[in-house]
Amino acid sequence: MLVPESIVHMLKPWADFYSHSKGTETVVQALHIGGLLLGGGFGVAADRGSLRAMRVQASERTHYVQELAAVHVWVLTGLTIVALSGVAMLTADIETFFGSWIFWTKMALVIALLINGYIITRVENGLIQDSSDRSPHWGTMHKTAVVSLVLWFTITIAGVSLVNLT
């Protein structure tokens, strides 16, 4: 895929500034990795907690359900930082990334992660209503935690591949 020349021209001032400012490039990349660390760190820890919660009695899971709700703000903050810094990196080298199948695969994985996160919040709301051992929400929580773990690590691999293979 070729990016329209008008977009390349419009983004040229930013691309020139970014490519000639090691400080800006460093800050943007640090924000991207830091956002991944923040969002992914909390997300992976919450997923681990979800998987561990499956092994205890329902009466002991109440605290976990409350704790899970508190994690979402950190995950969303991290993802917001990743998205904003990602747009900065994309627009600094639009010609390279726009035509990259790795880039578009990574974006599809990010969308899948966001959809999975939405499902997790719906399941969480269901668990607030019914966190008994018989609640079908626990099974869904287990599946979404596994999917989330796979997505976080796959997105990280895609990001590294994007830098090294594009």
Side-chain angles (χ1 to χ4, degrees), residues 67-90:
E67 190 66 27
L68 183 61
V71 167
H72 296 307
V73 69
W74 295 107
V75 173
L76 290 174
T77 299
L79 285 173
T80 300
I81 293 168
V82 168
L84 293 173
S85 58
V87 167
M89 290 188 291
L90 168 66

Side-chain angles (χ1 to χ4, degrees), residues 125-140:
N125 290 333
L127 287 171
I128 290 170
Q129 302 298 319
D130 176 18
S131 61
S132 69
D133 282 329
R134 296 182 319 275
S135 174
H137 301 294
W138 287 114
T140 306

Side-chain angles (χ1 to χ4, degrees), residues 59 101 115 138:
S59 60
W101 69 269
I115 291 168
W138 287 114

Side-chain angles (χ1 to χ4, degrees), residues 143-158:
K143 290 174 193 165
T144 56
V146 170
V147 168
S148 178
L149 286 168
V150 169
L151 286 169
W152 278 111
F153 287 101
T154 306
I155 289 167
T156 301
I157 292 167

Side-chain angles (χ1 to χ4, degrees), residues 1-5 7-8 94-95 98-100:
M1 279 191 307
L2 292 176
V3 62
E5 191 61 36
I7 294 175
V8 173
I94 190 81
E95 291 175 287
F98 191 80
S100 169

Side-chain angles (χ1 to χ4, degrees), residues 10-126:
M10 179 181 69
L11 296 173
K12 187 165 179 22
W14 168 246
D16 288 344
F17 174 75
Y18 186 86
S19 67
H20 292 97
S21 174
K22 291 298 177 189
T24 301
E25 190 175 348
T26 300
V27 168
V28 170
Q29 289 177 3
L31 285 169
H32 201 68
I33 294 167
L36 180 63
L37 182 61
L38 178 65
F42 272 96
V44 167
D47 295 334
R48 179 180 178 269
S50 294
L51 297 174
R52 290 185 67 200
M54 300 296 293
R55 296 188 213 134
V56 299
Q57 297 296 320
S59 60
E60 297 175 39
R61 295 179 188 163
T62 305
H63 175 72
Y64 169 74
V65 173
Q66 294 167 346
E67 190 66 27
L68 183 61
V71 167
H72 296 307
V73 69
W74 295 107
V75 173
L76 290 174
T77 299
L79 285 173
T80 300
I81 293 168
V82 168
L84 293 173
S85 58
V87 167
M89 290 188 291
L90 168 66
T91 56
D93 195 3
I94 190 81
E95 291 175 287
T96 298
F97 296 123
F98 191 80
S100 169
W101 69 269
I102 298 171
F103 172 79
W104 292 110
T105 301
K106 182 181 175 189
M107 294 306 101
L109 291 168
V110 169
I111 290 168
L113 181 68
L114 292 171
I115 291 168
N116 193 65
Y118 174 76
I119 294 168
I120 289 172
T121 60
R122 301 288 299 175
V123 170
E124 175 190 309
N125 290 333

